[in-house]
Amino acid sequence: MADSTKPRLTYTAGRGLASVVRIALAAAKIEYEDAYLTTREDFLKLIETGKLMFKQVPLLEIDGKNLIGSDCIVRYVCKKGGLMGKTANEEIK
């Protein structure tokens, strides 16, 4: 990966909405680190940082952006990793 900092995926320690994000990151061959929210206080501290626009996780910090929401993250990762179709028709196949 050309970027000097590794992307960071923040979610709870378990399966859920971040699972599809992890799969997309693996398919796109993007190395990342997991950051697990283990307590309510961890989540509240994250909210205080201002990184969570809608106070939701998963959060992916990548390329200087704070992406929230699994759908948004997966689209970004797939485009970055070259996994999206070149045309709208290719994207729906």
Side-chain angles (χ1 to χ4, degrees):
M1 172 154 212
D3 199 21
S4 62
T5 60
K6 226 182 227 190
R8 181 180 170 114
L9 177 63
T10 304
Y11 197 64
T12 59
R15 295 181 181 155
L17 295 172
S19 293
V20 71
V21 174
R22 290 184 183 103
I23 292 167
L25 286 163
K29 297 183 174 109
I30 297 174
E31 291 183 29
Y32 69 99
E33 64 181 49
D34 275 309
Y36 296 112
L37 300 172
T38 56
T39 65
R40 179 167 171 74
E41 288 74 32
D42 292 341
F43 182 64
L44 295 174
K45 285 178 189 173
L46 185 59
I47 290 172
E48 289 175 8
T49 65
K51 293 180 180 180
L52 301 179
M53 184 184 301
F54 301 111
K55 299 179 184 174
Q56 296 175 345
V57 288
L59 163 69
L60 181 67
E61 298 171 69
I62 186 170
D63 299 334
K65 297 170 180 53
N66 296 317
L67 304 177
I68 57 166
S70 56
D71 290 343
C72 170
I73 295 170
V74 169
R75 275 193 308 273
Y76 185 87
V77 167
C78 288
K79 283 187 182 189
K80 182 175 177 74
L83 302 174
M84 299 288 278
K86 293 179 183 156
T87 65
N89 282 337
E90 286 181 3
E91 288 182 13
I92 61 172
K93 290 183 181 178

